[in-house]
Amino acid sequence: MHGTNRLTPEILLRAYAEGLFPMAERRDDPLLYWVSPEKRGIIPLDAFHLPRRLARTVRAGPFTVTADRAFVEVMKACAAPAPGRPESWINDEILRLYSALHAGGHAHSIECWRDGVLAGGLYGVRLGAAFFGESMFSRQRDASKVALVHLVKGLKRGGFTLLDTQFITAHLARFGAIEIPRERYLLKLQDALNREALWPFF
């Protein structure tokens, strides 16, 4: 891990292609460091598990789901303090870099709205047939989960082969997330980078 205080979107994309991603120690720390976990979290798209209760919620359609309508707002919500998560690895430099990636068509968000108010969502980076999930947030029950369900459906439809979650949590494990060794992850990553996929949310 090496600290740096200035990156470009181009450097960031090259790093993702090599299995690296940046983080900050905390929200007010201006420096970033590179991360390449020994064990990488992924959600195998063909083994995504949709819990029964959540499936009922998705069918009921309590949220209006959109893509790329409020990217920066989603990022800021992911960075904001939340119950059980007072700190964040998303600092101003992360916001700057990923906003630039979004402007260039390489970073995307999924939003869930209720009565015109942003209730939850997620964002990540796209390269080839790989999607790197960065963070998610929820202000109302199940909002981020519904965003994830729609993301997975879209990635399958668009021909993606890799959904990278970086790390694994108990929350993600409920959806079928697993850990794989770095070497195996890099093989999957290279395969995904050699493929073409379409971002299917328009």
Side-chain angles (χ1 to χ4, degrees):
M1 299 179 188
H2 303 284
T4 179
N5 60 2
R6 201 66 177 177
L7 293 173
T8 65
E10 293 74 24
I11 291 174
L12 190 53
L13 289 176
R14 288 201 298 271
Y16 271 97
E18 296 177 6
L20 300 164
F21 57 88
M23 297 181 73
E25 288 287 354
R26 58 186 183 277
R27 188 181 297 104
D28 61 353
D29 189 337
L31 297 180
L32 302 179
Y33 61 93
W34 294 113
V35 183
S36 177
E38 289 186 12
K39 293 194 174 183
R40 193 77 165 231
I42 67 168
I43 296 179
L45 291 169
D46 59 355
F48 180 73
H49 173 66
L50 179 57
R52 189 173 300 173
R53 185 192 64 79
L54 182 59
R56 290 196 297 268
T57 299
V58 172
R59 286 195 300 270
F63 303 108
T64 299
V65 182
T66 61
D68 296 328
R69 183 181 293 180
F71 182 85
V72 173
E73 191 175 350
V74 167
M75 279 201 72
K76 289 181 176 179
C78 289
R85 193 190 66 191
E87 259 306 336
S88 173
W89 54 269
I90 302 172
N91 63 2
D92 287 344
E93 182 69 353
I94 292 281
L95 284 166
R96 180 188 71 81
L97 282 166
Y98 287 78
S99 295
L101 286 183
H102 174 63
H106 292 288
H108 301 280
S109 59
I110 304 292
E111 306 94 11
C112 286
W113 309 81
R114 178 174 276 171
D115 299 325
V117 177
L118 187 61
L122 57 83
Y123 77 96
V125 173
R126 171 173 64 103
L127 267 181
F131 187 86
F132 309 86
E134 289 295 318
S135 189
M136 58 201 313
F137 80 99
S138 193
R139 293 171 178 161
Q140 296 186 26
R141 183 180 181 182
D142 291 337
S144 63
K145 297 175 185 177
V146 170
L148 178 61
V149 171
H150 281 270
L151 172 69
V152 169
K153 287 182 179 179
L155 295 181
K156 289 180 179 180
R157 191 167 63 247
F160 285 78
T161 61
L162 177 63
L163 174 51
D164 175 8
T165 66
Q166 300 176 346
F167 301 105
I168 190 171
T169 64
H171 173 72
L172 291 172
R174 294 191 208 104
F175 295 96
I178 59 173
E179 282 184 330
I180 60 175
R182 181 191 290 136
E183 294 76 14
R184 185 178 164 202
Y185 169 79
L186 290 174
L187 290 174
K188 285 183 172 291
L189 174 60
Q190 287 307 309
D191 178 71
L193 294 178
N194 289 330
R195 298 174 182 267
E196 292 186 3
L198 297 175
W199 180 247
F201 304 98
F202 296 101

